[in-house]
Amino acid sequence: MPLLYAPRLAGKASEVRGYLAQGYSTLGRILSVERPGIIAYLVADEDWNDAPRDNARPYPTGLPYFTRSVEPPALVLPEELSTVFRPRTAATLPLTVWHELAHAFLLGREVVRTPAWLGEFVPQAASAAVARRAGLPLREHLSQIEREPGLTVRSFRGPAGAGEQMSFQNLLLLLGAAALDEFGEGFLRRIFHALWEEDEIVDEGRAEEMLADALGPDGREWVVSRPEFQEEPL
């Protein structure tokens, strides 16, 4: 997939291009789908306000995102990730790139509104799957995540501060990695296709049902037993 960048970012672009290529090809294989026609921008800090976006107001500096406001749709990646991204390990940047790529794959087709935890669980689990295949130090990264941040993926409610947002995403990454350990990669293809086929707004009950069905036998019992998935922190 093409990557556009300012000349002074050539060194960083070489690193990011590798992550994009790896994630783009790996996600296509994991999901058994045609890869979407997308582009990526690596945006210098001084150009951030001019980056393509869905809204009139620029996104906060350092926060990557996927936008369908341009053709082809685009991943917009900052020169440097915001300091809110924690933990900072060798896996932080590639996991973030693959998370946004997974959004691009998912939103290549129409998707109905879902609870926030399901909409973000899918790309977090997908990024963990790519990391496993790539041999990244995922376990080291996961070991540095705060397990009891005072919220769960289901108790989290917006609007929230940057720290709570990061805790929410990290709990979803833990849940996604655990699901991969327990059930393998096959559930990712099933949950992507289930979301593409759903034609009504997904409420909490339906979201839980969809995830449990995608996980397969014993999926419901497993997911409701996970500390990240409780209605309130234990």
Side-chain angles (χ1 to χ4, degrees):
M1 59 179 291
L3 173 65
L4 303 181
Y5 54 91
R8 74 171 183 80
L9 298 182
K12 186 62 171 283
S14 178
E15 178 187 8
V16 169
R17 183 183 288 108
Y19 298 143
L20 288 168
Q22 193 166 39
Y24 193 66
S25 62
T26 302
L27 283 171
R29 291 195 297 271
I30 290 173
L31 302 175
S32 300
V33 296
E34 183 178 349
R35 297 169 182 86
I38 54 178
I39 193 170
Y41 295 90
L42 181 61
V43 182
D45 289 343
E46 62 270 21
D47 298 326
W48 188 253
N49 288 350
D50 297 320
R53 55 185 182 269
D54 295 322
N55 305 310
R57 170 179 284 183
Y59 293 93
T61 304
L63 299 184
Y65 56 92
F66 172 68
T67 178
R68 293 187 287 186
S69 65
V70 290
E71 186 58 41
L75 272 65
V76 179
L77 307 171
E79 175 179 350
E80 296 293 340
L81 290 177
S82 166
T83 56
V84 73
F85 282 85
R86 291 286 186 271
R88 305 296 279 221
T89 72
T92 305
L93 178 57
L95 282 170
T96 304
V97 171
W98 298 333
H99 174 102
E100 297 304 329
L101 264 177
H103 272 302
F105 271 76
L106 182 62
L107 297 176
R109 308 183 195 179
E110 289 303 315
V111 176
V112 298
R113 191 169 70 224
T114 71
W117 67 260
L118 181 59
E120 292 298 319
F121 167 79
V122 171
Q124 285 293 67
S127 68
V130 177
R132 285 159 50 110
R133 288 202 180 196
L136 254 68
L138 181 61
R139 294 297 166 203
E140 176 189 341
H141 184 87
L142 297 176
S143 72
Q144 296 185 40
I145 291 175
E146 170 58 55
R147 258 60 174 183
E148 299 179 358
L151 57 89
T152 71
V153 301
R154 297 174 71 195
S155 71
F156 175 80
R157 297 289 185 273
E164 285 188 320
Q165 288 274 3
M166 195 70 250
S167 294
F168 171 65
Q169 292 287 353
N170 278 337
L171 289 178
L172 289 167
L173 183 62
L174 287 171
L175 184 62
L180 290 164
D181 288 342
E182 186 73 17
F183 299 98
E185 294 177 348
F187 80 86
L188 284 168
R189 184 180 60 81
R190 293 191 289 273
I191 194 65
F192 267 76
H193 282 268
L195 287 167
W196 288 329
E197 293 165 8
E198 195 74 11
D199 56 9
E200 295 185 4
I201 292 174
V202 175
D203 62 15
E204 284 283 340
R206 176 60 179 147
E208 182 180 328
E209 179 182 34
M210 291 175 72
L211 177 55
D213 288 348
L215 293 174
D218 301 323
R220 182 179 298 278
E221 291 78 6
W222 181 85
V223 74
V224 300
S225 74
R226 293 293 305 182
E228 306 93 346
F229 199 73
Q230 303 307 303
E231 292 189 5
E232 297 294 336
L234 296 175

